[in-house]
Amino acid sequence: MSGPTGIDELLERVREGYARIDPQEAYAASRSGALLVDIRYQALRDRDGLIPGALVVERNELEWRLDPRGSHRVPEATGHDLQVVVICNEGYASSLAAASLHALGLHRATDLTGGFQAWRSAGLPVTAPS
């Protein structure tokens, strides 16, 4: 029996299950029909702004909203082939979220390396904070 897993080991393990993408790749994917999903909490969205066109889904609702077979899904959750790019603030929580979406059968789910902060630093579109 092995001991407890630390978060760094867990992140490494789940990230081996899919290819993460950088901000430019995420931008290109969104322009080709991928669904960008912002899971940051309200205070960060208020402070830093939003990515235009990104679907905002609180992390605690993500699986319910994106499960294509779920009764609480968003209209954008059209099927298991949907390409989803999960975005958190710095690219940590989004890795765990993408792995959870894989477990639901969303095999094209990934996350943004560096999160929203990397997107903004890359000079990609951001709406002004409210």
Side-chain angles (χ1 to χ4, degrees), residues 18-35:
Y18 63 91
R20 301 180 79 207
I21 61 176
D22 68 29
Q24 293 296 338
E25 292 168 320
Y27 181 71
S30 72
R31 303 203 30 101
S32 297
L35 180 62

Side-chain angles (χ1 to χ4, degrees), residues 44-65:
L44 290 175
R45 296 191 311 266
D46 289 346
R47 183 188 78 189
D48 294 337
L50 297 168
I51 296 171
L55 176 67
V56 174
V57 177
E58 296 284 340
R59 173 62 189 100
N60 63 327
E61 297 180 355
L62 183 69
E63 291 82 0
W64 285 267
R65 300 292 183 237

